[in-house]
Each structure stands twice: as C-alpha cells, then as structure tokens.
Amino acid sequence: MGEREYDASYQAPPAEVGEMELVHPRTFIGKYIWSQDAKVIAVQYMLTATAIGLVALVLSLVMRLQLGFPNTFSLIDPAEYLQSVSMHGMIMVVYLLTAFFLGGFGNYLIPLMCGARDMVFPYLNMLSYWFYLASVLILAAGFFVPGGASGAGWTLYPPQAISEGTPGVDGGIITMLVSLIVFIAGFTMGGLNYVATVLQARTRGMTLMRLPLTVWGIFMATVLALLAFPALFVACLMLLFDRLLGTSFFLPEMLGMTQEMAREGGSPILFQHLFWFFGHPEVYIVALPAFGIVSDLIATHARKNIFGYRMMVWALIMIGVLSFVVWAHHMFVSGMNPYFGFLFATTTLIIAVPTAIKVYNWVLTLWRGNIHFTLPMLFAIGFLFTFLNGGLSGLFLGNVTVDVPLSDTYFVVGHFHMVMAVAPILVVFGAIYHWYPKITGRMLDETLGKIHFWVTFLGTYLIYYPMHFIGLEGVPRRYYAYGETTFISESVQTLNAVITVAALVVAAAQLLFLFNLVWSYYRGREAGPNPWHATTLEWQTADTPPPHGNFGKELPVVYRWPYDYSVPGVKQDFIPQNVPPQAVEREP
Amino acid sequence: MTLALAFLALLMGGVGLWLLRQSLFVQPWVAESGGRPPPYPVPRRFTAPRVGLVAFMAVVTSLFALTISAYLMRMAEAPQWELLPQPSLLWGNTGILLVGSLALQYAWEGARSTRRARLQGGLAVGSLCSLAFLVGQYLVWRELVALGYYLDTHPASAFFVIMSGLHAVHLIGGLGAVALCLWRLAHGTSLAHLAEGVGLCTLYWHFLYVVWLVLFGVLFVGAGPLYALCR
C-alpha cells in the first residue's frame, strides 16, 4: 500500500540474523528418513497423517454402510461399531487434523514464511516426528490387541472407558492412552519449535505485524495446544493409573463395589473437566491454522490486501483466549449448577464476536476483489460457507435449554462435522492445492481438482445437512441399529441410506485427489517459482522446491507486509515482501 | 480448574500486553522507508534456547497447575479423604534439591567468570544432589507404602506418585542437559560458549525447585488447610 519517503540510493545490508549451522546429510536415509530439515519433516507428517486418516475414513464408511443399510451388510457387530466410532473420532481430530495443520503446514511454512533457514531446534523437530509416528503405530496396534481397539467413544469418559463390558477394555484403551501420551510428548517438542521460531528466528524487517496470517494462525494454535494438551496428558495418565494400578481418580465408589477391589470414590466429572479443558481449545487448535491459511488464500487469489489485518490478528488472539473459558458447554447434561451453565453459555456465545469479525473480513476482502476461481480459492470459499453453517448450528447448541434435548443426537454429529471436520479439511485441501507447486515444483491437475472440489463440497452437505434433521427427530448417536423405535420415523432410514451413498461418493473423490497428488508429481505442469504471483517469502526462494536452508546465500530482507496486492500506480499487481521500495516498478 | 484458569489468565495477560505493545500504533500496510535498514525484529538477548526454555517452563507450569487443579477437585468431591503423613525425609529431599539448585548457580557464576574448576564442581555437585533427591523421593514413596498408604486405597498417595513422578521425569530430562554440558566441558568447549547452556540449566533447576516447593505444600504441609478449604 502506501510508502513513506525513501532514499533511492540506499541499499539495505543483507540480513545477518538467523544464520545457523545446518546438518547436511549425504545419504538417502539422512536426507529423507532421519531428516532434520523442517520441510522434509513436514512432508513426513503429512504422509503419515494421510495414511492414518485413510484408516479413519474407511472406518466411517463401514459405520455408514451399517447405518444406511442395516440388514444388508453385516461387516461389523455392535462392539466393532463402537470401536469404529471411537477410533474414527480420535484419529480424525488428533492424529489427522492437528498433526496435518501443525506438524505438516507448521513445519513447512513457518521457517519459510518467517525468512528462517530452518526451525530453531532441528534435532528436536526430527524427534517430534518420530514420536508422532510411534504414537500412530501404538494407536493402530490397538486394532490387533486382544479385545480390539477401545470402544469408549473419542471422549474416553470413565467409568465406562475402563469398565468391564466396554469393547477394548483389555488392551485397546491402554494403547489409546499410551499413544496419546506419546503424541503429546512429541507435539510439545514440535510446538516449542514453532513458537520459538516465530518469536526468535524472524528475518530482518519481519516484524510481528508483517507476518502472514497463516503464521499467526499456526502460532496461536500452537500456543493453545501447548497449554491445553497438558490437560489431556494428565487425564490420560490418571486414567491409565485407574486402569492398570487400581487407583481411583475417576472410578466412582458405586462401581468399585461390584468389581474386584472397592475403590474410594473417584470423580468421573473430573475427567470430563480435564478432557474438555483440552477438548474445546482443540477445536480452535484445528480452526485457527485454517483461519490463517484461508486468509492468505483469499487475499492471494482475490489479488487484494486482507481487510482489517490488525483486527484479524487480534481476533485470532481473542478466540484463543476465550476458547479456554468455554469448555463446560460440552457438559451441560452432566448435572452442573444451572448458574454454571448460564456462565458457560454466555462465554460460548461471546466467541461468536471475534469469529464473526473474521468472517466479515474475509467477505470484505472478496468484495470487489479480482477473484480468480482457482482451486485454492474454490476451497477457501467452500470453507467460508461451511464454517458459517456449522457455526450457526453452534448457536443452538451453545444455549443450555436447546442443548439439553439435542445433546447426544445426530444434530450434534452434524454440527461438529460441519464446523470442525469439513471446514478445516476443505482448508487442508485448498492449502495443498496452493502450496503443492512449491513442495514439488509441479502444479496439480486442474480438472481432477475441480471434480474433487465439487464432489467433496456438495457431497459433504448431502452427508451432514440431513443429520441435523435426523437429530431434531431425537435420533441418538453412537447406536449400531435402531430397530423398531417408535419415535423414529421411516424417513429417517431413507435419509440414512442417502447419507451413506453420498459418503461413498465423497470417499471415492478423495481417491481421485490422491491419484492427482501422485500423477502430478511425475506428470504435472512445471510450476515455476511463483505460479500464484504471491507476495510471501516462500514464493521468493531461489530454487523450487527450496533446498535445505530454504534461501540462497543470504536470507531475505523484508520491507513490507504480505498483502501488497493490486497496489495503485505499481506495474505488477503484487509486490513481494522482500522487494525494497526503490525496486518497485511503477507505472509512468 | 480455578487454579489452572488463574495461571492461564496471568500468562495470557502478560502475552497480551506484550503483543499490544508490538501491534498498537503499528501500520502494517506502510512499507519500510529506504532511509534506514529494516529493523532487526528480535532483541539479541532473546536467543532461541532462552525463548524455547521459557516456553517450555510455561508448558510445564500448565501441566502442574492442571494436576493440582485435579487434585483439589478430587479432594473436594471425595466422600472421604485421608491426609498423608509427612515423612521427615521429605524435608531432607527439599534441602538437597535446594543445594543442587545453588550448586548450579555456583557453576553458572563459574562459567561467567571463566573459572573452569568452579563450573565443573558446581555441575557435578548439582547433578549428584539431584540424583540424591530422586532416590530420596523413591524412599518416601516406599515409606508411605510401608505405612499402608497404597495407591489403590489412598487417592492422596496416588496423587503424590503422579505429581512427584512427573516432577522426577522433568528433573531427569534436566540431568540430561547437565550431562551434555559436562560432556562438552570435557571435550574442550570454551567456557564462554557453555555459559548460556549452564545458565539455562540453572534457571530450569530453580524453576523445578519452586515447582517442588508448591507440590510439597499442596500435598503435605498445606494439605490440611486446603482440605478444610475445599470442603
């Protein structure tokens, strides 16, 4: 945008900061397996998350086939249904979305966008990935232990999670808890890296207020995760003690009486508090990076500066802070004091304010922008709609009196899938279409991408929109079959069948996307260094894909914010962050 | 959870004020003027290890604040709750960890004033004291078991094991860092290079000492009044 007076003869010295000793291995294993390069680690994270995410996708299809055609397919029994629900939820929320956004995009983009050579603790970063891989393998091992995986739901509520009769109580719950503990330890190593790199390793000129919103989103999400994951860590550790050592942190007395050893009256509600103290910020751990990324996608592909940059940053911060004081809205039916419910309903609804600021700002950025309907932009707009719709049903559930009858029905399933499953995954796709050219040097195929977008976008609405109506009928979630239930009308079964067919089609579209990823890697069009004409530093690297160390001999120097698109009087419609004022070509 | 929230509010308040200073009256859309080089955005004293350690200590504080919150809630909701006895060895452990912490402080002074013997001695005494503390904690646990305070019958005992266990794991991690300093010292790294690492170890030890004091307070010394307050 505007520029102050400048001295045309002045040449700023190259950045002197952030120079660090990098380990440059020569072997294949050193380069791609035990790699300390954040970009390789990012790809490792993404591939692992995709692999385990596909397992969760298959689980959801198996469940849908059971629900849609209960007497046609007998792929799973009721216990396996519960195990599928639990593993699907846990994998998708923690091992796919959290890992993909923070481990994947965080690792790839933070050093590049901040103008750093690498993360500040590369060895710890490598260790973080290996912990993550170990946690995924331990979790997957749950399928193969005696009794199978845990069927306690992704929320793992005690006493059920560790009581006789729940599927997976023998081994599955143990692998699940150990896996989460390992995941959190690994994430902490990565998270410290992301935070320290953003705070410490920014290049010359890269003030906090010149950071792209992607970095802001990932940064705030990491801060939330670092502070909230300890709650899950403690909860898992205590539940593990209860299960293995016979302690009574969570197991109440009434239940203890019937088991081998009488326990001393633990508090199941305590677990719920700890779980949701993590669980609600987790929603934003997934959402904030999506918010950040979508801001950059919209600005770049609408060729317009983001509307209200400072407001966007502060909205991210406010959402982060508020997300810590709303956790009990997940527990309205746990018998809490009504005043407590009122308090948490209020804080919950207040979050709508900074969130609405963001939505308005995205829309205002699009307003009279030079919108290019590229694939990343399509996914960004898809996200806007989906997040808004999901958020609106959240207004219902945020109110105690409405939540109580809707709790544990399909309304909740529809709501949270819209707001924290479909919306963020649309951003993941948009971001992959946007940054794949930088990661591989080739463009993804546009036609395949468009088919992928439209099938996914419309298909997910076909899946989750009807669920709201099913929920309003009072159909409970986590049921294997409904049989002859009087209050459930026959049309519900028809809707369930429609949903299942839509889910199968959407899943097939994801295979098309995977095919596109592989095919384009070998046959895709050459991308060049900056195919989207973007301003941020990752597009200004000398080589594409960037080598270990990211930038050439000298680190870039930053002169401007990342949103100098369509600046009046300037020849090109974008000015990269590292272009000094005197080098900007102006119209005569 | 009030405790955890209070901690978070404090932390967020501090970070918020700092961010406000960074963003207030800043016009991000105005590009750098060419008359001066773009500023280096991070003060030089904010080295990566320092920033990393401070962030890590915030995470550890969150972990212990949440554990203590869980302890207080469990205490408040229990039908019956038996307070733990206070083995006198605990005071010994507290003392020896203090000596360890002070020894590291001594080592750090040594590194700063380039006195190798002081540094070596301080690090060695510091790590030995910490090891002695860990053994002492194990003995306290054994003593509680001998007195009949089992994990499955006494939730207070279970909380002691979880909290002191978590504390011990963090101390063992710190010992790894001290061992690395000693190894570097033996392999001829200059004292000036070591000073920062030793300084960070010292800070971490002081932090873990304070954490232990808080745990000692809530589990033993102040458990009675806390119990009365919770009920």
Side-chain angles (χ1 to χ4, degrees), chain B residues 50-131:
Chain B
R50 279 184 197 168
V51 173
L53 182 67
V54 170
F56 181 60
M57 290 194 303
V59 177
V60 178
T61 311
S62 170
L63 176 69
F64 281 104
L66 283 157
T67 320
I68 294 169
S69 293
Y71 166 70
L72 296 179
M73 278 174 74
R74 175 71 178 79
M75 199 192 244
E77 289 174 19
Q80 70 259 28
W81 185 273
E82 201 174 335
L83 294 173
L84 289 176
Q86 214 178 98
S88 51
L89 187 55
L90 280 167
W91 290 100
N93 287 350
T94 310
I96 206 153
L97 190 60
L98 177 64
V99 175
S101 206
L102 293 176
L104 282 184
Q105 179 78 31
Y106 183 75
W108 183 42
E109 306 282 344
R112 283 201 300 180
S113 54
T114 57
R115 277 184 261 180
R116 183 171 282 269
R118 242 177 115 161
L119 171 62
Q120 244 162 354
L123 285 177
V125 173
S127 29
L128 285 177
C129 285
S130 309
L131 284 172

Side-chain angles (χ1 to χ4, degrees), chain A residues 63-78:
Chain A
M63 288 186 286
R64 276 318 317 173
L65 284 173
Q66 166 59 34
L67 289 171
F69 308 97
N71 301 317
T72 318
F73 298 96
S74 23
L75 295 169
I76 46 172
D77 61 26

Side-chain angles (χ1 to χ4, degrees), chain B residues 2-20:
Chain B
T2 322
L3 191 80
L5 282 180
F7 158 70
L8 278 177
L10 213 67
L11 197 73
M12 297 276 185
V15 174
L17 276 179
W18 177 73
L19 280 173
L20 204 64

Side-chain angles (χ1 to χ4, degrees), chain A residues 172 212 342 408 450 469 521:
Chain A
F342 173 73
D408 261 334
K450 285 203 167 142
F469 296 101
Y521 184 74

Side-chain angles (χ1 to χ4, degrees), chain A residues 314-353:
Chain A
W314 275 99
L316 281 174
I317 296 169
M318 286 318 295
I319 293 171
V321 172
L322 286 172
S323 73
F324 275 105
V325 286
V326 299
W327 79 90
H329 70 214
H330 296 271
M331 300 161 55
F332 284 153
V333 289
S334 70
M336 64 168 78
N337 186 320
Y339 288 112
F340 229 57
F342 173 73
L343 174 78
F344 279 102
T346 311
T347 51
T348 302
L349 297 182
I350 288 176
I351 282 208
V353 176

Side-chain angles (χ1 to χ4, degrees), chain B:
Chain B
M1 300 312 266
T2 322
L3 191 80
L5 282 180
F7 158 70
L8 278 177
L10 213 67
L11 197 73
M12 297 276 185
V15 174
L17 276 179
W18 177 73
L19 280 173
L20 204 64
R21 270 184 50 196
Q22 300 278 319
S23 61
L24 210 63
F25 310 121
V26 174
Q27 294 174 312
W29 53 89
V30 177
E32 199 63 53
S33 68
R36 56 192 164 84
Y40 176 47
V42 186
R44 292 202 181 262
R45 62 177 190 283
F46 285 7
T47 61
R50 279 184 197 168
V51 173
L53 182 67
V54 170
F56 181 60
M57 290 194 303
V59 177
V60 178
T61 311
S62 170
L63 176 69
F64 281 104
L66 283 157
T67 320
I68 294 169
S69 293
Y71 166 70
L72 296 179
M73 278 174 74
R74 175 71 178 79
M75 199 192 244
E77 289 174 19
Q80 70 259 28
W81 185 273
E82 201 174 335
L83 294 173
L84 289 176
Q86 214 178 98
S88 51
L89 187 55
L90 280 167
W91 290 100
N93 287 350
T94 310
I96 206 153
L97 190 60
L98 177 64
V99 175
S101 206
L102 293 176
L104 282 184
Q105 179 78 31
Y106 183 75
W108 183 42
E109 306 282 344
R112 283 201 300 180
S113 54
T114 57
R115 277 184 261 180
R116 183 171 282 269
R118 242 177 115 161
L119 171 62
Q120 244 162 354
L123 285 177
V125 173
S127 29
L128 285 177
C129 285
S130 309
L131 284 172
F133 170 81
L134 291 174
V135 174
Q137 294 288 79
Y138 174 70
L139 293 177
V140 169
W141 179 61
R142 289 283 300 270
E143 197 175 330
L144 286 175
V145 171
L147 289 171
Y149 289 86
Y150 303 117
L151 279 177
D152 49 359
T153 52
H154 289 78
S157 182
F159 270 108
F160 168 69
V161 170
I162 285 236
M163 289 187 192
S164 61
L166 284 174
H167 183 258
V169 167
H170 286 91
L171 199 61
I172 291 167
L175 280 173
V178 171
L180 192 69
C181 288
L182 277 169
W183 188 81
R184 283 186 180 158
L185 194 65
H187 285 74
T189 309
S190 73
L191 294 194
H193 267 94
L194 272 176
E196 187 182 19
V198 177
L200 293 178
C201 286
T202 311
L203 177 63
Y204 186 57
W205 245 256
H206 295 343
F207 166 73
L208 283 184
Y209 184 66
V210 173
V211 170
W212 168 245
L213 283 185
V214 173
L215 295 183
F216 189 29
V218 296
L219 283 165
F220 295 99
V221 180
L226 272 178
Y227 180 64
L229 200 71
C230 284
R231 308 300 281 198

Side-chain angles (χ1 to χ4, degrees), chain A residues 10 17 209 248 264 267 559, chain B residues 23 32 34 40 74 77 80 155:
Chain A
Y10 174 76
V17 299
M209 282 313 199
S248 55
E264 216 212 307
S267 164
Y559 295 88
Chain B
S23 61
E32 199 63 53
Y40 176 47
R74 175 71 178 79
E77 289 174 19
Q80 70 259 28

